[in-house]
Amino acid sequence: MTNISLNSIIIFFHKIRKDLFSNVFNTFMSLVLILSISLVFLNTFEWLIFDANWKVVGSNLHLFAFGSFPSDEQWRPAIWIISLLGISIVTLFGPKWKWLRQNLLIAWISTIPLGLYLLYGGFGLTPIMSRHWGGLTLTILLTTFSSLLSLPLGIVLALCRNGSLPLIKKLSSVYIDVMRAIPLISVLFFGQLLIPLFLPVGIEIDRVWRAIFAFTLFVSAYIAEDIRGGLQSIPKTQIDAANSLGLNQYQIIQLILIPQALRIALPALTNQSIGLFQNTSLMAILGLVELLGVGRSILANPEFIGQYIEVYVWLACVYWLVCTIMAILARHLEQRITINSGNF
């Protein structure tokens, strides 16, 4: 084992020398590049450790996490975020007990009503209005519920656009093309400012749910195209085989088309989810104090004026961490689906 490791190291360094230092020009360019990266890294490290003032982050961690949620009730969103993180860890590194793996989907789904109960309150908890929600809690809420509603709507749109009924096919095509041609910020403005104008007098939809509705309308169009690509990659022979077995159209869609289309489109769907999480930052422009909105409000505090770099570096790290967790979970799910498909 030691000899194999030593040989691998020797081969690795020999390959580096061959690729980077094969002639005078490559050697010069490699040394310049290495020196530049080293200087950037050292200057960044020096600023992070010695020059940056992280008090703006440390003294406002509760705002970044929970927004203006009442301080004596912040344990409620904290429990919800910890439950999401715990289920993520169990999904990735938990024991491979069969009963646990079978109930992971139920655990993930149960976090949705749990989050609503903890945030809204009632049934023994103090009711909290959504205007007090904010920070990472609100960002995760917008992402989770928008994704939950966008996926089934996107599947329906993809099936309609891929169907044989001319009118439904045309309507779904027009909807998808129109939504993909409109900037997201315009759809969000529509959700926040114009939807209340179309509602009857006395009926009002919460601003958070208007944002979720707008995100759902927008993202579902992109998900529909991802699913449609998955549907088109399924061989027609499978449908012919299903017809020969006597399956009806509903059974073909439920048992053959949708599972395979979702598996094929999973990388693209993951990209949509990550993009949705990042795009929730646009709500800071429209008055919802999500993660970026909290950063903007903190920078408006005279005590922290001018500390833009620290705040935005911190926000970038938070966004990177959450997006990385989402990508790893999706990759883990993709691997499990591939293994199960291979076993089948």
Side-chain angles (χ1 to χ4, degrees):
M1 182 66 69
T2 304
N3 292 334
I4 295 176
S5 301
L6 183 61
N7 291 335
S8 301
I9 294 173
I10 293 174
I11 294 173
F12 174 74
F13 281 105
H14 178 72
K15 189 176 187 318
I16 290 179
R17 186 178 66 82
K18 182 178 179 181
D19 293 340
L20 301 181
F21 306 100
S22 57
N23 53 53
V24 176
F25 178 76
N26 285 347
T27 301
F28 175 75
M29 293 302 297
S30 299
L31 290 176
V32 170
L33 185 60
I34 292 172
L35 180 61
S36 301
I37 294 176
S38 301
L39 289 175
V40 171
F41 176 78
L42 290 175
N43 289 332
T44 303
F45 181 79
E46 180 183 3
W47 178 83
L48 289 173
I49 302 301
F50 301 106
D51 298 333
N53 182 10
W54 295 110
K55 181 182 177 183
V56 63
V57 175
S59 60
N60 295 292
L61 281 176
H62 63 286
L63 292 177
F64 284 112
F66 313 119
S68 60
F69 210 86
S71 58
D72 57 339
E73 299 288 341
Q74 288 180 359
W75 59 270
R76 289 156 53 175
I79 287 178
W80 187 48
I81 294 177
I82 292 173
S83 67
L84 291 172
L85 183 60
I87 295 176
S88 300
I89 294 174
V90 171
T91 302
L92 293 175
F93 309 110
K96 297 183 178 180
W97 299 335
K98 186 175 180 181
W99 65 269
L100 179 61
R101 294 298 179 182
Q102 289 176 344
N103 294 316
L104 269 179
L105 179 60
I106 299 175
W108 277 107
I109 295 176
S110 64
T111 59
I112 297 172
L114 175 64
L116 284 178
Y117 171 65
L118 290 174
L119 294 179
Y120 269 114
F123 300 103
L125 295 180
T126 303
I128 304 295
M129 301 298 294
S130 62
R131 65 174 177 268
H132 297 295
W133 303 355
L136 182 61
T137 303
L138 181 57
T139 298
I140 293 177
L141 180 77
L142 292 173
T143 304
T144 302
F145 282 86
S146 299
S147 301
L148 177 68
L149 298 175
S150 299
L151 182 59
L153 181 57
I155 293 174
V156 172
L157 289 171
L159 292 174
C160 291
R161 188 167 189 175
N162 209 44
S164 57
L165 298 176
L167 179 60
I168 296 179
K169 184 175 182 179
K170 188 65 176 178
L171 289 175
S172 61
S173 299
V174 169
Y175 174 82
I176 292 172
D177 293 337
V178 168
M179 293 304 296
R180 296 176 70 203
I182 299 177
L184 175 57
I185 189 65
S186 300
V187 181
L188 295 176
F189 268 111
F190 168 79
Q192 290 298 308
L193 304 177
L194 297 182
I195 286 180
L197 300 179
F198 294 98
L199 295 176
V201 177
I203 297 179
E204 183 179 355
I205 300 178
D206 189 273
R207 295 184 64 185
V208 172
W209 289 104
R210 294 205 300 267
I212 292 173
F213 177 73
F215 277 120
T216 299
L217 292 179
F218 184 83
V219 176
S220 61
Y222 287 85
I223 290 179
E225 287 299 277
D226 296 334
I227 299 295
R228 189 168 70 94
L231 292 172
Q232 290 179 342
S233 66
I234 300 175
K236 299 295 183 182
T237 53
Q238 294 193 19
I239 300 177
D240 296 336
N243 288 324
S244 66
L245 292 174
L247 299 180
N248 57 40
Q249 190 66 25
Y250 175 76
Q251 291 173 324
I252 293 175
I253 293 174
Q254 180 186 14
L255 302 176
I256 297 176
L257 296 182
I258 292 181
Q260 293 190 77
L262 289 175
R263 178 173 59 84
I264 295 170
L266 183 58
L269 295 176
T270 303
N271 188 52
Q272 295 296 341
S273 298
I274 293 175
L276 175 60
F277 178 79
Q278 296 171 347
N279 287 333
T280 56
S281 59
L282 293 173
M283 294 308 302
I285 303 174
L286 300 175
L288 285 182
V289 191
E290 41 66 66
L291 192 56
L292 181 62
V294 168
R296 289 161 59 96
S297 63
I298 290 174
L299 290 173
N301 187 336
E303 183 181 355
F304 304 113
I305 287 179
Q307 299 183 19
Y308 296 96
I309 298 179
E310 289 87 349
V311 170
Y312 286 118
V313 166
W314 164 253
L315 291 177
C317 292
V318 174
Y319 277 105
W320 172 83
L321 178 62
V322 177
C323 292
T324 301
I325 292 174
M326 295 171 64
I328 293 174
L329 286 172
R331 193 179 303 120
H332 178 78
L333 177 61
E334 186 177 359
Q335 291 173 354
R336 288 188 59 82
I337 292 176
T338 302
I339 292 174
N340 293 335
S341 300
N343 293 336
F344 177 76

